[in-house]
Amino acid sequence: MKAVRIRDIAAACGVSPGAVSRALKGQPGLREETRQRIIAAAEQQGYDFGRLRSEKIKRVLFLLHRQHNISRALPFYSPLFLGLESACREQSIALSFLSVGPGDAVAEQVMLHQPDALICAGFFEPELLAVLEQLKLPLVLVDLWSPGLPCVNPDNLQGGYLATRHLLEQGRTRIAFLASTLGHYSIRQREKGYRQALYDAKLLMPPEYEAIALPQLDTEQSLLRAINELFDLAEPPDALFAYNDATALLVLQVCAERGLRVPEDVAVVGFDDIEPAAWSQPPLTTLSVDKQRLALEALDILLSERVEANVMLPVELVVRGSSGA
């Protein structure tokens, strides 16, 4: 029999998971009648009250979706994973890794690791998250948002705004946005920031300046096609905000192949501040994300059982060399 979760009790009582957590722990902030109703429902469902006193997380499984193209995603997720491993070691917690996709026997693969809790980083389809929720394990999302699940994210909307405003301040008037998809929460937020900065500047870009790569098995080839289509326009952009650094580096590659000078002909800004951004030619202007802090916040949410946590971390514009000048 699977353990009764706080979310199960919340659904039965018509209250939030946070209210259930406060009731079970005897914390303030609830009417006594509500507290007693929650405790009665927990007893009726067979909730193990001993978990509140003795259960300790000993094994955490870090999950990454294969859609990310693991090799291209590593420059961002490796510092996050290594920061998480270090924090887990300090807490005497074993950390393991698993990449998954919607066609996998996800539940069976996860349970091979015998985890006490899960951390999911980056994009996951709602259907895949639903499978993971059915495992009734504590779960935290990193770089992703989904209704009712605790999460920690960089401030993607503010980052998109800062990147676009920086390009505007450099006198750029034809600013394109480039992404692989808008299906990922983080990318949608960055795109909203881009749009908001243009709106505040009273500028309207042609629709073809919002370049979303066609879905293909090879994301890099699809992005390269989208970049070349931008530069083939009758009036190509004089600036480009790429949704992440890996894509911004592809833009620099295409510029070099076409003989376009950066930033004289086109300015480029990325997002994430992965290590290669600092030693590209020219060094890449980008939005810095504190990847280790993302990891620490995620682990803290798990250990403190903050079931309603929605942590937003600030990002910082890093102007390097002249790529975004």
Side-chain angles (χ1 to χ4, degrees):
M1 174 182 278
K2 292 183 178 178
V4 177
R5 298 185 310 168
I6 284 177
R7 295 186 189 286
D8 302 325
I9 303 168
C13 295
V15 299
S16 70
V20 175
S21 181
R22 289 192 293 273
L24 297 179
K25 294 178 181 179
Q27 296 173 339
L30 293 174
R31 292 191 302 168
E32 188 58 28
E33 179 271 331
T34 303
R35 185 188 310 279
Q36 292 303 323
R37 181 162 58 89
I38 291 171
I39 291 174
E43 291 174 342
Q44 183 179 2
Q45 292 192 30
Y47 181 77
D48 181 7
F49 286 84
R51 293 174 61 189
L52 297 172
R53 299 182 299 272
S54 60
E55 189 173 85
K56 183 179 184 300
I57 291 176
K58 296 179 180 178
R59 293 178 296 275
V60 171
L61 177 60
F62 182 90
L63 291 147
L64 188 66
H65 198 298
R66 276 200 300 278
Q67 177 179 316
H68 285 289
N69 184 325
I70 302 300
S71 61
R72 293 184 71 243
L74 282 179
F76 179 84
Y77 290 110
S78 288
L80 195 158
F81 182 79
L82 292 173
L84 180 61
E85 193 279 331
S86 178
C88 284
R89 192 186 321 154
E90 291 178 3
Q91 299 283 345
S92 299
I93 295 171
L95 179 67
S96 57
F97 171 80
L98 177 67
S99 65
V100 294
D104 296 347
V106 174
E108 290 83 350
Q109 291 179 5
V110 168
M111 295 317 295
L112 283 174
H113 293 255
Q114 298 184 320
D116 300 314
L118 308 174
I119 292 179
C120 297
F123 170 79
F124 281 81
E125 298 96 343
E127 298 80 7
L128 194 50
L129 284 179
V131 172
L132 294 172
E133 284 191 85
Q134 289 171 6
L135 299 176
K136 298 186 181 296
L137 293 168
L139 169 67
V140 175
L141 307 179
V142 178
D143 192 31
L144 179 63
W145 177 89
S146 183
L149 290 176
C151 62
V152 53
N153 283 282
D155 193 338
N156 293 291
L157 191 149
Q158 178 69 1
Y161 187 91
L162 290 174
T164 309
R165 189 179 69 180
H166 171 74
L167 292 169
L168 290 165
E169 290 172 347
Q170 306 307 309
R172 309 293 170 157
T173 57
R174 304 191 310 277
I175 304 171
F177 174 74
L178 174 66
S180 61
T181 176
L182 289 180
H184 184 359
Y185 165 79
S186 295
I187 303 173
R188 291 198 306 273
Q189 292 296 301
R190 294 171 194 184
E191 186 260 354
K192 286 181 180 180
Y194 160 79
R195 284 177 171 267
Q196 186 63 50
L198 294 177
Y199 177 83
D200 289 351
K202 298 180 173 56
L203 283 177
L204 183 65
M205 298 296 141
E208 56 267 28
Y209 275 23
E210 194 162 311
I212 310 303
L214 293 173
Q216 294 180 354
L217 290 178
D218 191 324
T219 303
E220 183 170 312
Q221 289 303 313
S222 186
L223 283 166
L224 285 170
R225 177 181 296 180
I227 296 165
N228 279 295
E229 287 175 353
L230 279 172
F231 289 136
D232 285 339
L233 291 171
E235 191 172 34
D238 62 3
L240 212 155
F241 168 39
Y243 81 106
N244 66 13
D245 287 347
T247 301
L249 294 173
L250 287 178
V251 176
L252 296 183
Q253 173 188 317
V254 172
C255 287
E257 292 169 354
R258 285 175 166 256
L260 293 171
R261 299 168 303 162
V262 180
E264 291 85 356
D265 299 322
V266 58
V268 182
V269 174
F271 202 115
D272 289 339
D273 194 19
I274 60 175
E275 187 174 338
W279 38 263
S280 67
Q281 289 300 321
L284 185 65
T285 291
T286 184
L287 273 298
S288 179
V289 175
D290 191 335
K291 304 160 196 66
Q292 291 196 353
R293 189 176 169 196
L294 283 174
L296 295 177
E297 289 285 351
L299 185 61
D300 183 69
I301 290 170
L302 281 179
L303 298 181
S304 61
E305 297 186 58
R306 289 186 284 150
V307 293
E308 290 184 319
N310 186 354
V311 178
M312 191 80 70
L313 300 183
V315 295
E316 180 183 358
L317 181 70
V318 178
V319 180
R320 290 199 184 95
S322 57
S323 69

